[in-house]
């Protein structure tokens, strides 16, 4: 403990790019593991002590600044208009993360489109407020992961919608599985969580938490107060909402015997509950209402319904159904309609664009949707969508050349490549075909797995290795495997949540090539640090000093 208390700025750290990230990550990781252990043992006094220690740690503050300065929203300012876009700004920000005298500023309200055509309000905190939330999240997340419901999958590290999908399969696909499902949705979950409940039950500094909850928001240059809910857009908000809903699974299990086969699967504020009889689901619905009422929440009557498995139900973009005792999981009709509408809009938008530009716009959309659904029975749907997209592209091509014949248009835009005819390509780019995706079964995460428990370290490394082998570009995957999944600069893991760059050990301006032996997979911030220090040799000199 004494060595950790002396977590002050190293005398060698005189600027942002001089920070030794391997040392920083190791210090914070050790503290988080101790917090998770104390939470597992229900030693809440020790949890509070360790949380205070980590929020005052310079290493944790550096990681918090690094996170908000490198995530997707780092170019979006808050109400103060400030951005941390330079190393000098980040270094100065490191000194401002202190809870003493801290006062959160209001959020900048924007509205983003929803899938159903509506608008979702989103609050943009200032950079300093984001960094403070990231700092306290380092202290809170080990607790939330230790106490979370076993089958909660939304906004949690290393968990995904595919894990929730496989849990639905495990609970409902067997011959003697329960037949009734309650599809539930919480009305305005983020906007209505009780502040009083959060302040009373979330194990975090209450003064700081209250600042975020009561900060208000600015919309059309008018300040509005917030009396309930968590700030949508805040880094810590998903964890707060998850912790507000944690305990629902345990409560339901306690009120029903095993023969009722009550299963619970939740992703964010959407969840399902299974049972053998519809009467048991009515009781579960009543218990759920009582549980949510304590937290200022209620079920959405429009989206909450009881369904027999033979009718099927939609969850997270998939349709689950058992027909004549045969279990099926397929992309939902709504999901198919949305991807087709999105592709159609892209084609219309690029009426006058070149073929290469159109292909470049379509590839990420098709690849993302296809890989999302590659773990369910999608073969026929993929082929059907490929045909419908071909029809869109054929109309696009005919419109461009109304006076040309069909054979000329076909030869102009489609080719025969490796025995496959009608390949939409311009010689450089080739359209991604959904039907070429190889379907695989997703391996669900262990329900009890905790990324902050050293016991599961090897388990999570194996999962990340498997994911990279399936999804990464071949060269990226080879580099990741050779480095054992770790960044050689900061020694922290390169996984699904982090961004990475490929660094040339001998710079290309100095004659370095693109062969694997001259490449290293590093984090984006670490890559910037290498070039800011002008390290033209590998390994960088300061790594030897750290070792």
């Amino acid at each position: 403990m004494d060595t950790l208390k002396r977590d002050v700025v190293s005398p060698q750290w005189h600027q942002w790019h001089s920070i030794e990230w391997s040392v920083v990550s190791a210090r914070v990781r050790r503290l988080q593991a101790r917090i998770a252990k104390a939470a597992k043992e229900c030693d809440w006094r020790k949890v509070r002590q360790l949380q205070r220690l980590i929020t005052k740690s310079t290493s944790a503050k550096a990681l918090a600044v690094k996170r908000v300065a490198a995530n997707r929203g780092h170019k979006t300012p808050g109400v103060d208009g400030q951005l941390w876009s330079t190393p000098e700004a980040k270094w100065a920000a490191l000194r401002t993360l202190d809870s003493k005298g801290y006062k959160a500023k209001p959020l900048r309200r924007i509205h983003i489109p929803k899938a159903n055509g509506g608008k979702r309000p989103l609050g943009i905190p200032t950079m300093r407020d984001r960094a403070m939330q990231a700092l306290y999240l380092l202290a809170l997340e080990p607790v939330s992961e230790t106490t979370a419901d076993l089958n909660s999958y939304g906004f949690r590290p290393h968990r995904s919608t595919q894990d929730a999908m496989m849990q639905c399969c495990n609970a409902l696909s067997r011959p003697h599985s329960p037949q009734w499902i309650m599809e539930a949705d919480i009305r305005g979950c983020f906007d209505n969580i009780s502040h009083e409940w959060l302040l009373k039950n979330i194990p975090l500094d209450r003064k700081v938490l209250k600042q975020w909850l009561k900060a208000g928001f600015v919309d059309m240059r008018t300040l509005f107060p917030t009396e309930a809910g968590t700030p949508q857009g805040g880094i810590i908000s998903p964890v707060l909402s998850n912790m507000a809903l944690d305990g629902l699974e345990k409560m339901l299990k306690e009120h029903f015997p095993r023969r009722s086969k009550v299963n619970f699967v939740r992703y964010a504020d959407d969840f399902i509950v299974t049972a053998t009889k519809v009467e048991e689901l009515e009781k579960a619905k009543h218990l759920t209402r009582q549980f949510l009422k304590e937290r200022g929440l209620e079920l959405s009557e429009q989206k909450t319904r009881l369904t027999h498995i033979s009718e099927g139900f939609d969850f997270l973009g998939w349709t689950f159904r058992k027909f004549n005792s045969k279990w099926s999981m397929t992309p939902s009709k709504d999901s198919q309609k949305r991807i087709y509408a999105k592709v159609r809009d892209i084609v219309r938008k690029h009426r006058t664009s070149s073929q290469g530009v159109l292909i470049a716009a379509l590839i990420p959309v098709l690849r993302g949707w296809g890989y999302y659904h590659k773990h369910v029975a999608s073969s026929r749907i993929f082929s059907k969508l490929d045909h419908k997209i071909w029809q869109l592209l054929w109309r696009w091509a005919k419109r461009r050349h109304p006076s040309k014949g069909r054979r000329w248009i076909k030869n102009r835009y489609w080719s025969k490549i490796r025995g496959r005819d009608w390949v939409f390509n311009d010689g450089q780019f080739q359209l991604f075909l959904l039907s070429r995706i190889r379907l695989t079964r997703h391996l669900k995460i262990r329900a009890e797995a905790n990324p902050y428990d050293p016991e599961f370290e090897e388990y999570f490394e194996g999962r990340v290795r498997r994911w990279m082998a399936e999804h990464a570009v071949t060269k990226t995957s080879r580099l990741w495997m050779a480095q054992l999944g770790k960044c050689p600069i900061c020694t922290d893991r390169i996984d699904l949540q982090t961004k990475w760059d490929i660094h040339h050990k001998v710079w290309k301006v100095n004659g370095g090539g693109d062969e694997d032996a001259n490449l290293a997979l590093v984090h984006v911030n670490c890559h910037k640090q290498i070039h800011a220090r002008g390290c033209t040799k590998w390994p960088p000199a300061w790594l030897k000093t750290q070792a």
Side-chain angles (χ1 to χ4, degrees):
M1 178 72 76
D2 294 337
T3 58
L4 290 171
K5 283 183 177 179
R6 294 194 297 269
D7 183 19
V8 296
V9 177
S10 168
Q12 298 178 355
W13 300 2
H14 56 277
Q15 59 171 324
W16 178 253
H17 286 310
S18 66
I19 296 176
E20 300 167 359
W21 292 109
S22 59
V23 176
V24 165
S25 298
R27 286 175 179 170
V28 174
R29 192 73 186 176
R30 285 197 298 269
L31 272 177
Q32 288 180 314
R34 293 175 63 185
I35 292 173
K37 181 182 178 182
K40 188 176 182 179
E41 297 170 351
C42 296
D43 189 348
W44 299 109
R45 182 179 179 183
K46 189 173 183 180
V47 167
R48 288 192 295 271
Q49 291 175 343
L50 292 168
Q51 284 183 326
R52 282 196 295 270
L53 190 59
I54 200 171
T55 54
K56 294 181 182 299
S57 162
T58 305
S59 295
K61 292 176 181 179
L63 280 182
V65 173
K66 178 184 177 182
R67 174 172 179 174
V68 301
N71 64 12
R72 290 197 305 174
H74 70 282
K75 294 183 180 180
T76 306
V79 292
D80 60 357
Q82 293 185 4
L83 292 175
W84 296 344
S85 55
T86 64
E88 292 76 20
K90 297 171 190 175
W91 181 249
L94 184 62
R95 310 288 185 137
T96 66
L97 301 187
D98 193 349
S99 60
K100 187 175 181 180
Y102 170 68
K103 184 172 178 60
K105 292 187 178 181
L107 287 75
R108 183 167 70 90
R109 173 62 61 89
I110 62 173
H111 298 271
I112 58 176
K114 296 171 65 175
N116 60 10
K119 295 282 187 179
R120 183 189 302 277
L122 191 67
I124 307 298
T126 63
M127 294 295 288
R128 187 191 178 204
D129 291 337
R130 280 180 246 178
M132 285 292 288
Q133 290 186 24
L135 174 63
Y136 278 82
L137 181 59
L138 292 172
L140 181 62
E141 197 166 54
V143 179
S144 69
E145 285 298 304
T146 304
T147 60
D149 284 340
L150 294 178
N151 290 300
S152 164
Y153 299 98
F155 304 119
R156 294 181 60 188
H158 298 280
R159 298 188 180 226
S160 65
T161 52
Q162 283 77 15
D163 292 310
M165 174 263 293
M166 285 306 301
Q167 181 58 24
C168 291
C169 178
N170 294 342
L172 295 166
S173 63
R174 296 179 175 88
H176 301 290
S177 295
Q179 301 294 302
W180 287 94
I181 302 97
M182 178 175 74
E183 305 171 63
D185 181 81
I186 301 171
R187 179 181 297 158
C189 180
F190 275 91
D191 297 328
N192 297 309
I193 298 177
S194 168
H195 285 179
E196 289 71 23
W197 189 93
L198 289 172
L199 292 169
K200 184 178 179 181
N201 293 277
I202 299 298
L204 201 65
D205 188 319
R206 293 182 183 177
K207 291 183 179 179
V208 176
L209 179 58
K210 189 174 182 179
Q211 286 288 324
W212 298 330
L213 297 177
K214 301 294 186 181
F217 63 91
V218 174
D219 193 8
M220 301 296 290
R221 298 187 179 182
T222 304
L223 177 63
F224 296 90
T226 49
E227 302 300 332
T230 59
Q232 291 196 48
I235 292 174
I236 206 169
S237 297
V239 175
L240 295 178
S241 62
N242 266 339
M243 295 188 76
L245 298 176
D246 284 336
L248 181 55
E249 180 179 11
K250 183 179 179 181
M251 182 271 294
L252 291 173
K253 294 282 187 181
E254 290 174 349
H255 282 83
F256 293 93
R258 286 191 65 181
R259 65 175 179 272
S260 297
K261 298 180 181 178
V262 172
N263 296 289
F264 176 87
V265 184
R266 178 170 69 85
Y267 189 90
D269 59 342
D270 295 328
F271 61 91
I272 66 164
V273 181
T274 72
T276 55
K277 300 177 182 178
V278 69
E279 293 80 11
E280 292 170 332
L281 282 186
E282 291 286 359
K283 180 182 177 181
K285 189 176 181 180
H286 176 70
L287 292 170
T288 302
R289 281 201 182 104
Q290 290 181 328
F291 179 90
L292 296 176
K293 188 176 181 181
E294 297 177 9
R295 292 150 175 80
L297 301 171
E298 60 181 354
L299 289 175
S300 171
E301 295 299 332
Q302 294 179 339
K303 299 181 180 180
T304 301
R305 60 176 185 167
L306 309 184
T307 309
H308 194 270
I309 191 60
S310 61
E311 299 176 17
F313 66 96
D314 290 352
F315 186 54
L316 302 177
W318 295 292
T319 296
F320 301 88
R321 189 183 181 194
K322 188 180 284 186
F323 185 73
N324 291 336
S325 300
K326 185 178 180 181
W327 173 252
S328 72
M329 301 184 296
T330 57
S332 68
K333 290 184 178 179
D334 287 341
S335 181
Q336 296 175 49
K337 289 178 181 178
R338 284 196 296 269
I339 185 62
Y340 178 74
K342 191 169 186 178
V343 171
R344 183 186 59 204
D345 291 342
I346 292 174
V347 173
R348 287 177 177 174
K349 182 180 177 181
H350 291 82
R351 287 174 180 172
T352 59
S353 301
S354 67
Q355 186 181 11
V357 172
L358 175 60
I359 294 174
L362 289 174
I363 284 176
V365 174
L366 294 174
R367 180 184 282 123
W369 191 85
Y371 274 91
Y372 182 84
H373 294 287
K374 66 179 286 190
H375 304 292
V376 298
S378 307
S379 297
R380 291 184 179 179
I381 293 171
F382 283 173
S383 297
K384 176 184 172 182
L385 283 171
D386 277 344
H387 178 66
K388 294 177 73 173
I389 293 169
W390 176 87
Q391 290 177 321
L392 284 175
L393 296 174
W394 181 253
R395 290 196 293 269
W396 173 87
K398 287 182 65 178
R399 180 186 178 275
R400 294 168 68 90
H401 306 282
S403 60
K404 296 293 185 179
R406 294 181 179 181
R407 182 170 296 180
W408 185 94
I409 294 175
K410 190 264 185 186
N411 293 332
R412 172 67 174 79
Y413 293 104
W414 281 269
S415 306
K416 187 173 183 179
I417 299 178
R418 290 192 292 272
R420 185 181 183 93
D421 204 2
W422 290 92
V423 177
F424 191 71
N425 82 104
D426 67 342
Q428 183 179 4
F429 296 104
Q430 176 178 322
L431 184 66
F432 182 83
L433 293 176
L434 295 171
S435 56
R436 302 299 294 271
I437 296 176
R438 185 170 63 90
L439 304 186
T440 60
R441 179 59 64 94
H442 178 74
L443 183 63
K444 189 185 84 69
I445 192 172
R446 290 186 199 170
E448 71 279 6
N450 184 347
Y452 296 101
D453 189 340
E455 177 186 347
F456 294 99
E457 182 78 16
E458 186 177 353
Y459 170 74
F460 280 110
E461 287 181 355
R463 284 188 65 84
V464 174
R465 189 182 306 116
R466 188 180 302 108
W467 185 92
M468 290 290 287
E470 289 181 5
H471 295 84
V473 179
T474 306
K475 179 171 286 190
T476 306
S477 182
R478 287 200 304 268
L479 295 174
W480 191 92
M481 294 285 189
Q483 297 170 192
L484 301 178
K486 294 185 178 181
C487 173
I489 303 301
C490 65
T491 70
D492 206 358
R493 287 183 299 190
I494 297 176
D495 56 25
L496 318 186
Q497 280 74 41
T498 61
K499 293 182 180 180
W500 60 78
D501 278 343
I502 294 181
H503 171 68
H504 290 76
K505 298 175 182 178
V506 178
W507 294 8
K508 297 193 77 172
V509 294
N510 295 332
D514 291 325
E515 61 277 7
D516 288 3
N518 191 48
L519 301 178
L521 205 64
V522 297
H523 291 121
V524 174
N525 188 79
C526 296
H527 198 201
K528 292 179 180 178
Q529 185 179 36
I530 294 171
H531 286 272
R533 290 189 171 191
C535 300
T536 57
K537 296 182 179 180
W538 189 266
W542 82 85
L543 292 183
K544 300 176 182 178
T545 305
Q546 292 178 32

